[in-house]
Amino acid sequence: MLEVKKVTKQFSSGSGDVTAVKDISLQIPAGKFASIIGKSGSGKSTLLSLLGALDKPTSGSIEVDGQDITRLGDRALNTYRGKQIGFVFQSYNLVPNLTALENVMLPLEFTRVARRERVGRAKSLLDQVGITGDKQQRKPSRLSGGEQQRVAIARALANQPKVILADEPTGNLDSQTGKMIFDLLHSLARSQNTTIVAVTHDLSIAGKTDMTFTLSDGKLVKQ
Amino acid sequence: MNSLTRGIRNTFRNSIRTVSIVLILGLSIGLSLSMLVARQAVENKISTVKSTIGTSITVSPAGARGFDGGGEPLTQADLDKAKSVAHVTSVSGTLQDRLSSDNTNLQSAIDPGTLGRRFGRSNSGFGAGGQAPNGGTFKLPVMLIGTDDPASAQVLSGSSVKLTSGTLYAAGSSDKVAVIGKELATKNNLSVGSTFTAYASTITVVGIYDAGNTFSNGTVVMPLKTVQTLSSQANAITSAIIKVDSIDTIDGAVNNLKTQLGSKADVVSQKDTATQALAPLQNIKNVSLFSLIGAMVAGAIIILLTMVMIVRERRREIGVLKAIGASNVKIMWQFMAEAVSFTVIGAVLGIAIGLAGGKPITNMLVTNSSNASSAVSQTAGPGQGPVTAQAGGGGLFRRAASNLNLKDVHAVISWHLLLYGFAAAVLIALVGSAVPSLLIAKIRPAEVMRTE
């Protein structure tokens, strides 16, 4: 269960404080696929970074299976991000000078998984997302956008996280590839009972998820 | 793959940048190493010179300056007093004389030339030594040194004395034997076993030497007692070379010698002469130290700016690594490994540059500095003249200071020097990557979302 309680996030800027997320509360049961929609600047990505413990809220709490992640120290946060959360970004954010296989092995290294197991698990995940054969040894620049996003999904799944947070995962892809990536995320979530929270502009994709949250000016306007 | 191997691989991520940084770092480290080599070589030379001439004192009869001036000769009793002075390690007395056609059959190996004839005219009493100056027939006398230390470079005022044939006579000898300079031997067709006449006695040549300069190679060296006896100057000493145990004790020893010998002797330390002669080398030492520090600081700044640039360029990547569970320490290790890799490759190039450039740079520094120094000393003018003009007395010894052969500096690149250089390079890398590490720690993982 992912539970957000009265979360507010303010940033300081030259023109004063800006409230990106305002008093949001929501619940997402384990294994559900939830989408967050809203216009640009509505606070979707900020909310996602708070859920992934990339940032701390100004007030409120975020609980994952009963544990308040806003109270975790730096080391515990690293562990939380490494083991409990998987990220999928709009621009894939693969490390450019590592191969697809090495990119998927990265989170496993940070959680101290033995090297042999890392290689085996990364290969298996890449096979699952359809990156097979010599493509696993290619660097991101030699993969298409859709292939790169598949590698990113495999990387997000590497540590079998409870939650996958996806920020516009199909935003840089054509509609057909985007649909394939969405279906892939959906099927993986179901097969591994992983909760997925995806930020998207695409209402057709949002319509296929189990739950949809709509943000406007940092506020949750529709659930 | 771990942070270290990732860091090493990242070194080659941008080949143009890698080549540029490695070249600049290599030059910086190469210059540092060359300066280290120059400094070491000069330091060795300074300590060698200090341990030789820097610890010597000349004692001569008061008022005498070679064959000029006057006064009474020193005696063996004076040398015994000198030996009793604290810190004195050896005392070597000499008796100088000149052999002319009146008392030898030897011909001088040195042509009088304009200078010889001028000095001949200016010394009305010159006849005591050589032939009277009568136009073109004037000939220089042959210089004779009576000493028990015939191999001394300082006695012969050469940078080094090599015996080219024969042997040296024993200290304390009173035999009628001589070791002669190679030019005198050539001029008079003498070889080991040949004889010549001096003071109406037959002298046997036992050795021929090369002292490295024309003046000394035209000199006869005989046992002190023999010269004292044959020249009817029993017990007379015209100069003594006294050595002390260290350059630090020389001033005290000079004062004690002056007290012991009183007004009958002039006591002159070579410390000031040596210090003055070594000034160019001291300058090189200082210049090389400052250059070394400058090159190392430049290297550290290069790697610092490079790493700052790389960290700024990879903010998003750092954010991603943090977002997927990497700790600050792991990321810092990765970037430090990258900085060390840059520096190690730069160090390898730098060592190659240092190996190739260390000796030429040292020689260039020494040559330029020595030339500048000699240019300055030449402007001193005639004041320097008497030292070289006077063959006898302390003149020979004093010339030694100008014969230190300061250009003869050997630059040696030893293993420990290379290790110092390498350790310095790694230190540069660690210092240079310290600030970027702080920047890494400050990057928040949320950066990755903001740049989306």
Side-chain angles (χ1 to χ4, degrees):
Chain A
M1 169 77 84
L2 184 63
E3 191 169 5
V4 178
K5 295 178 180 173
K6 295 190 172 184
V7 164
T8 295
K9 177 66 182 175
Q10 287 181 324
F11 295 105
S12 296
S13 71
S15 55
D17 287 349
V18 175
T19 306
V21 170
K22 204 178 293 176
D23 200 29
I24 288 181
S25 296
L26 56 87
Q27 289 183 341
I28 304 170
K32 295 292 183 188
F33 194 144
S35 57
I36 302 172
I37 58 172
K39 292 178 184 173
S40 289
S42 60
K44 308 185 295 291
S45 294
T46 303
L47 179 59
L48 204 68
S49 68
L50 293 173
L51 294 177
L54 301 183
D55 218 341
K56 289 199 172 186
T58 310
S59 62
S61 65
I62 299 167
E63 292 182 6
V64 179
D65 290 343
Q67 183 186 28
D68 186 355
I69 62 167
T70 63
R71 293 173 181 272
L72 296 177
D74 284 347
R75 187 172 286 191
L77 276 175
N78 284 337
T79 308
Y80 170 75
R81 286 194 290 258
K83 288 187 174 174
Q84 312 283 354
I85 301 287
F87 281 100
V88 179
F89 303 99
Q90 181 178 350
S91 304
Y92 330 126
N93 281 339
L94 300 174
V95 180
N97 67 326
L98 300 183
T99 65
L101 186 69
E102 288 165 345
N103 265 286
V104 179
M105 286 164 64
L106 263 184
L108 298 168
E109 178 201 321
F110 299 144
T111 50
R112 298 172 188 271
V113 174
R115 181 175 164 76
R116 183 171 292 187
E117 192 183 339
R118 268 186 252 166
V119 175
R121 211 192 289 182
K123 279 186 173 174
S124 163
L125 283 165
L126 284 170
D127 287 340
Q128 283 180 54
V129 298
I131 303 294
T132 56
D134 73 316
K135 282 186 180 175
Q136 295 185 355
Q137 298 302 332
R138 287 187 196 170
K139 290 187 176 168
S141 58
R142 294 186 56 217
L143 296 170
S144 68
E147 287 169 334
Q148 287 187 58
Q149 196 60 299
R150 286 166 188 267
V151 175
I153 290 169
R155 183 178 68 183
L157 291 165
N159 277 316
Q160 296 165 317
K162 290 179 181 170
V163 181
I164 286 183
L165 302 173
D167 188 22
E168 301 275 10
T170 60
N172 280 0
L173 304 173
D174 60 72
S175 57
Q176 193 177 350
T177 312
K179 184 177 178 309
M180 284 170 61
I181 290 294
F182 177 81
D183 291 341
L184 177 66
L185 271 174
H186 211 170
S187 65
L188 289 170
R190 298 230 162 170
S191 63
Q192 297 184 11
N193 195 34
T194 306
T195 305
I196 297 183
V197 182
V199 165
T200 181
H201 275 107
D202 192 335
L203 295 178
S204 65
I205 285 179
K208 293 178 186 173
T209 59
D210 302 321
M211 311 168 74
T212 301
F213 301 96
T214 307
L215 294 188
S216 177
D217 295 331
K219 291 179 185 169
L220 183 61
V221 293
K222 191 177 174 188
Q223 187 166 343
Chain B
M1 187 179 298
N2 54 33
S3 303
L4 294 180
T5 47
R6 256 199 319 282
I8 292 167
R9 266 175 65 168
N10 278 346
T11 312
F12 306 99
R13 205 155 149 172
N14 182 330
S15 52
I16 293 174
R17 179 164 61 201
T18 302
V19 169
S20 310
I21 292 167
V22 164
L23 271 177
I24 298 170
L25 268 178
L27 284 171
S28 164
I29 293 167
L31 184 61
S32 302
L33 192 62
S34 298
M35 289 301 134
L36 207 61
V37 169
R39 188 177 156 73
Q40 186 87 43
V42 167
E43 215 164 46
N44 290 343
K45 182 69 181 180
I46 288 171
S47 64
T48 305
V49 170
K50 276 186 175 174
S51 67
T52 52
I53 193 163
T55 57
S56 298
I57 298 167
T58 309
V59 176
S60 49
R65 179 64 60 89
F67 290 97
D68 288 338
E72 296 302 319
L74 300 172
T75 63
Q76 187 58 44
D78 296 321
L79 299 191
D80 292 341
K81 283 182 189 172
K83 278 179 191 168
S84 67
V85 169
H87 301 293
V88 168
T89 56
S90 71
V91 175
S92 176
T94 59
L95 173 61
Q96 282 87 22
D97 207 350
R98 293 191 286 203
L99 297 171
S100 67
S101 56
D102 296 340
N103 55 7
T104 187
N105 64 346
L106 289 175
Q107 295 287 313
S108 173
I110 305 166
D111 182 68
T114 306
L115 286 174
R117 283 191 288 275
R118 189 179 75 192
F119 287 128
R121 280 195 300 274
S122 66
N123 284 302
S124 56
F126 200 80
Q131 289 92 333
N134 53 356
T137 60
F138 171 68
K139 290 179 181 174
L140 286 174
V142 176
M143 302 317 301
L144 168 66
I145 298 175
T147 177
D148 282 340
D149 190 8
S152 167
Q154 287 175 335
V155 168
L156 285 166
S157 72
S159 58
S160 62
V161 177
K162 288 177 190 165
L163 202 62
T164 56
S165 62
T167 56
L168 299 173
Y169 55 80
S173 170
S174 56
D175 296 341
K176 292 176 181 175
V177 293
V179 182
I180 62 174
K182 68 172 191 177
E183 290 184 27
L184 186 66
T186 304
K187 176 78 177 182
N188 293 279
N189 292 320
L190 295 175
S191 57
V192 173
S194 302
T195 58
F196 64 89
T197 305
Y199 306 109
S201 296
T202 301
I203 310 294
T204 304
V205 176
V206 294
I208 295 172
Y209 65 79
D210 179 5
N213 65 78
T214 305
F215 185 88
S216 298
N217 285 344
T219 302
V220 176
V221 181
M222 289 170 62
L224 178 60
K225 279 182 188 167
T226 307
V227 176
Q228 286 173 332
T229 306
L230 294 179
S231 65
S232 305
Q233 299 180 80
N235 210 25
I237 303 289
T238 52
S239 80
I241 297 164
I242 295 170
K243 289 212 163 196
V244 293
D245 52 9
S246 124
I247 197 162
D248 300 324
T249 59
I250 200 163
D251 290 334
V254 166
N255 289 335
N256 288 337
L257 282 167
K258 283 179 178 172
T259 307
Q260 286 285 330
L261 300 175
S263 59
K264 70 176 297 186
D266 282 340
V267 181
V268 180
S269 151
Q270 296 303 305
K271 187 181 178 183
D272 291 343
T273 313
T275 306
Q276 202 176 356
L278 288 173
L281 291 185
Q282 289 286 5
N283 285 342
I284 295 172
K285 204 174 140 187
N286 294 338
V287 166
S288 60
L289 177 66
F290 291 129
S291 303
L292 171 67
I293 293 169
M296 282 187 69
V297 169
I301 290 173
I302 290 163
I303 199 73
L304 171 84
L305 294 178
T306 302
M307 294 314 294
V308 167
M309 184 176 71
I310 288 174
V311 167
R312 288 174 68 90
E313 191 180 283
R314 296 197 202 140
R315 283 180 79 88
R316 177 188 282 203
E317 186 178 314
I318 293 166
V320 170
L321 292 175
K322 289 188 178 184
I324 63 176
S327 62
N328 280 332
V329 174
K330 281 227 169 204
I331 301 171
M332 281 180 199
W333 271 117
Q334 178 184 316
F335 279 83
M336 284 177 95
E338 190 169 345
V340 171
S341 297
F342 273 126
T343 315
V344 167
I345 300 169
V348 170
L349 179 67
I351 286 170
I353 292 171
L355 285 171
K359 288 182 185 178
I361 287 174
T362 305
N363 291 339
M364 192 184 72
L365 285 171
V366 170
T367 304
N368 286 346
S369 188
S370 300
N371 288 346
S373 168
S374 57
V376 169
S377 68
Q378 278 167 17
T379 60
Q384 300 286 320
V387 176
T388 48
Q390 296 158 36
L396 275 174
F397 178 52
R398 283 191 194 94
R399 287 201 332 153
S402 60
N403 284 334
L404 293 173
N405 210 359
L406 296 181
K407 289 184 184 178
D408 188 24
V409 176
H410 296 287
V412 179
I413 302 174
S414 58
W415 279 109
H416 76 267
L417 213 64
L418 289 180
L419 283 175
Y420 279 141
F422 208 75
V426 172
L427 190 69
I428 285 172
L430 295 178
V431 170
S433 58
V435 174
S437 294
L438 293 175
L439 289 179
I440 289 167
K442 283 188 174 177
I443 293 174
R444 297 186 321 172
E447 299 272 347
V448 71
M449 304 296 283
R450 301 236 169 89
T451 52
E452 281 289 292

